[in-house]
Amino acid sequence: AGFPDGVFNVVTGFGHEAGSALVDHPDVAKITFTGSDATGAKIYAQAARTMKRVTLELGGKSPNIVFADADLEAAAAAAPGAVFDNSGQDCCARSRVLVQREVFDRFVELFAAATSAWKVGDPTDSATAMGPLVTQQHLAKVRSYTEPLTDAEVLFRGEAPTGKGWWHPAMIVRADAGSSVCTDEIFGPVAAMIPFDDEADAIRICNDSPYGLSGSVWTRDGARSLRVVRAMEAGTISVNSNSS
């Protein structure tokens, strides 16, 4: 909480204890929360009891839409950072990669080549691009999505250390639009590749999700970019970029 003299208090503790107390306290006028949609829903309901204002930044399964007329090299070079930064533990991660069918195979090649250059290892090493996941429990959750995948579904699997640490390789997988890999927030280094036929198909797949935090559109057609951005059900959208 902020005070007129510029001094700030920091409250530490677990969310179900310290966080819940802050949401309930009558002297706290607003709650801002970044985290899971399940916890956000609890906060929203709890804050209603004291009529607090609430700002929530919750889960994401953000789409990265690549049209055939896009600069494929630029889009593919930017794609690993959009998914694998922070080991995929990013609510704005562009973890659904929608690519127009006629250039799908070529984009996968470029994306895989760009991802193969990412070094996974000690995060204190300046050459490292991706470190471990946050906990053993979270690693198990991510593996629950990736271990059942078949060889045909896995388009690229990167390298990762095998020693101490909760390591998971960067992965690019082909997935059906309705599969759990495409619908659930894995919150790990897994990019779900989905082909689409045309603009209407891309918008349909993009909006077939309960998440709408962010997204990207790659195309050289300015009019198309405006049409697609207006049709996307997402909060922050970038054109020919993956900026949050």
Side-chain angles (χ1 to χ4, degrees):
F3 296 92
D5 59 4
V7 176
F8 289 83
N9 283 352
V10 176
V11 179
T12 60
F14 291 107
H16 66 280
E17 296 172 342
S20 181
L22 285 171
V23 176
D24 275 338
H25 202 287
D27 291 341
V28 176
K30 179 175 180 178
I31 294 292
T32 299
F33 172 77
T34 299
S36 72
D37 52 342
T39 302
K42 292 178 181 178
I43 291 173
Y44 197 78
Q46 188 176 340
R49 295 201 292 262
T50 49
M51 301 297 288
K52 284 182 175 59
R53 295 178 62 200
V54 178
T55 297
L56 304 174
E57 182 179 320
L58 306 179
K61 196 70 177 178
S62 298
N64 186 2
I65 305 175
V66 182
F67 285 93
D69 70 331
D71 183 337
L72 298 184
E73 286 73 15
V83 185
F84 306 130
D85 265 352
N86 204 36
S87 304
Q89 300 165 126
D90 179 359
C91 50
C92 288
R94 271 64 166 172
S95 53
R96 287 189 297 155
V97 187
L98 285 58
V99 181
Q100 199 155 17
R101 198 175 301 276
E102 60 207 78
V103 296
F104 184 86
D105 291 341
R106 175 57 179 158
F107 187 84
V108 169
E109 292 177 1
L110 294 169
F111 187 9
T115 303
S116 67
W118 275 56
K119 178 184 176 183
V120 182
D122 184 350
T124 64
D125 183 346
S126 60
T128 295
M130 193 178 92
L133 294 175
V134 66
T135 65
Q136 184 176 6
Q137 291 79 9
H138 186 55
L139 174 60
K141 176 196 171 186
V142 175
R143 284 176 173 170
S144 73
Y145 287 96
T146 59
E147 288 183 347
L149 296 172
T150 66
D151 290 342
E153 292 172 304
V154 178
L155 301 175
F156 174 85
R157 184 193 303 270
E159 300 292 331
T162 57
K164 183 178 179 181
W166 302 301
W167 304 103
H168 194 286
M171 290 181 64
I172 303 171
V173 304
R174 179 162 182 159
D176 296 329
S179 68
S180 61
V181 172
C182 288
T183 60
D184 296 358
E185 185 185 30
I186 299 175
F187 215 61
V190 183
M193 300 287 300
I194 312 165
F196 67 86
D197 293 318
D198 54 23
E199 191 175 308
D201 195 32
I203 294 168
R204 178 188 62 79
I205 296 171
C206 166
N207 292 342
D208 187 21
S209 170
Y211 299 108
L213 192 56
S214 59
S216 298
V217 179
W218 292 80
T219 178
R220 299 178 196 266
D221 186 332
R224 168 184 281 159
S225 69
L226 291 175
R227 288 194 303 271
V228 174
V229 165
R230 289 168 179 161
M232 291 172 69
E233 296 173 357
T236 302
I237 304 173
S238 305
V239 175
N240 295 328
S241 166
N242 294 318
S243 300
S244 298

